Amino acid sequence: MNIIWVCISSLLAFSSVFSDQNTSNIKVFPAANQSTAGVTQVSYQNNQNQLQYAFNASEARKICQSLGLSIASKAQVKEALSRGLETCRYGWTDEQIAVIPRIHALANCGQNKTGLVLWRAPVTNRFDVFCFNESDAIIQLKDTVTNNPLSSSEHANSVNSTLSTSSSSTHPPSFTSTDETVSNEVEPARFVGSAQTFAGSKVVLISCICGLLFTIMSLVAYLKLGRHCHLRSDEKQQQQQQDYTQTEEWISVKTIAETTKEVQQDQRIDVDDGEE
């Protein structure tokens, strides 16, 4: 029982450390509470503080959900581009197309193109991901209408069209790194969905504990079965030894009896010969 509690404690400590390590490596641009038209780019930062492409198309969606957001569509990223969002890293969108929003042409960013640069890469390729915060988009729309009432209808139609394309699904995340880094400024992400992440960690932890208990129970049952078989084998050997001993004793008694009988017969023959 003490071994079981030690194993459970170790699993709890490992789960806590693993969760803290994963969350500290997730970065967003622009910084927290500073999204552009509700769009932020989520990246993975390794232990050397270098940004690395880490998410395939299915994992990218789950990363956004873990932050309490949805994955952004091309239209939503394009709207953010029109409001000044510019990055130098590809990110997945809801259509499973990697994009880079570029305002200025740069040789090492987006093939020296401007606008929303697309890359129809295989879904297994790893990039960053663009996430969408609907509440931020609505707040920024209100601010835009207040500051520029003449263009309110144009912005409203634009943002409403981007909001309508927001969608989500679930796939497991993975944090595999590739070799590409940039100098974009990033800050720690807002973990709005920390409760969901914690719930997922609890499920994994419970599964590990159940697996561990099952393994221990199987080991105990195996040891008991082995001990029982060993005891039965010893009993069988003892019984065989006892039977062998009894057989030897019977043979010895029989031999002695036969020898005695022969001696008696020889004595009778000698007596008969003497009388004659």
Side-chain angles (χ1 to χ4, degrees):
M1 182 60 69
N2 291 333
I3 296 176
I4 296 176
W5 283 115
V6 170
C7 293
I8 294 175
S9 300
S10 300
L11 286 173
L12 288 171
F14 174 78
S15 176
S16 176
V17 172
F18 180 76
S19 178
D20 292 342
Q21 183 178 3
N22 283 345
T23 58
S24 64
N25 288 343
I26 298 296
K27 305 296 179 180
V28 296
F29 176 83
N33 298 318
Q34 296 179 11
S35 66
T36 304
V39 175
T40 56
Q41 185 169 18
V42 179
S43 308
Y44 175 79
Q45 180 172 295
N46 62 20
N47 294 332
Q48 288 74 39
N49 294 326
Q50 295 176 335
L51 296 182
Q52 296 182 339
Y53 286 147
F55 318 122
N56 62 33
S58 60
E59 296 163 351
R61 192 181 305 275
K62 181 61 178 179
I63 292 299
C64 291
Q65 289 183 339
S66 70
L67 301 176
L69 308 174
S70 61
I71 188 170
S73 65
K74 287 193 304 179
Q76 290 163 348
V77 179
K78 188 174 183 179
E79 173 65 18
L81 170 63
S82 68
R83 299 194 185 190
L85 178 64
E86 183 180 40
T87 73
C88 192
R89 292 177 61 82
Y90 279 100
W92 285 111
T93 60
D94 184 47
E95 294 83 359
Q96 294 189 339
I97 297 176
V99 302
I100 291 182
R102 293 300 305 166
I103 298 175
H104 306 92
L106 194 61
N108 62 343
C109 291
Q111 302 175 353
N112 203 27
K113 298 178 181 179
T114 59
L116 192 64
V117 183
L118 307 181
W119 183 0
R120 298 182 182 275
V123 295
T124 55
N125 281 21
R126 298 188 179 276
F127 301 112
D128 295 344
V129 58
F130 288 100
C131 298
F132 181 71
N133 188 326
E134 184 174 351
S135 60
D136 281 0
I138 294 175
I139 293 174
Q140 292 178 26
L141 171 62
K142 291 180 180 180
D143 294 341
T144 302
V145 171
T146 302
N147 296 332
N148 190 6
L150 295 179
S151 60
S152 60
S153 59
E154 178 181 354
H155 284 290
N157 292 334
S158 175
V159 173
N160 287 334
S161 65
T162 60
L163 291 176
S164 64
T165 60
S166 177
S167 62
S168 62
S169 65
T170 58
H171 293 279
S174 172
F175 299 99
T176 307
S177 60
T178 57
D179 296 327
E180 180 166 340
T181 62
V182 295
S183 59
N184 286 359
E185 179 183 2
V186 294
E187 293 186 11
R190 293 172 297 159
F191 291 93
V192 182
S194 59
Q196 298 176 355
T197 304
F198 179 70
S201 300
K202 287 176 64 178
V203 172
V204 174
L205 180 60
I206 292 173
S207 300
C208 293
I209 293 174
C210 292
L212 178 62
L213 293 177
F214 177 77
T215 302
I216 293 175
M217 291 174 64
S218 301
L219 180 60
V220 171
Y222 174 77
L223 293 176
K224 286 184 176 180
L225 180 61
R227 183 179 179 183
H228 179 69
C229 293
H230 181 69
L231 290 176
R232 292 192 61 181
S233 177
D234 290 344
E235 291 176 357
K236 186 176 181 180
Q237 290 180 357
Q238 291 177 359
Q239 183 64 35
Q240 291 177 347
Q241 184 67 29
Q242 185 176 0
D243 293 342
Y244 176 78
T245 302
Q246 291 177 352
T247 302
E248 290 292 328
E249 291 178 352
W250 181 82
I251 292 174
S252 298
V253 171
K254 183 178 179 181
T255 302
I256 294 172
E258 290 177 350
T259 302
T260 303
K261 185 176 180 181
E262 291 176 355
V263 170
Q264 291 176 352
Q265 290 177 353
D266 291 340
Q267 289 177 351
R268 289 177 182 176
I269 292 173
D270 292 340
V271 170
D272 292 340
D273 291 341
E275 291 176 355
E276 291 176 358

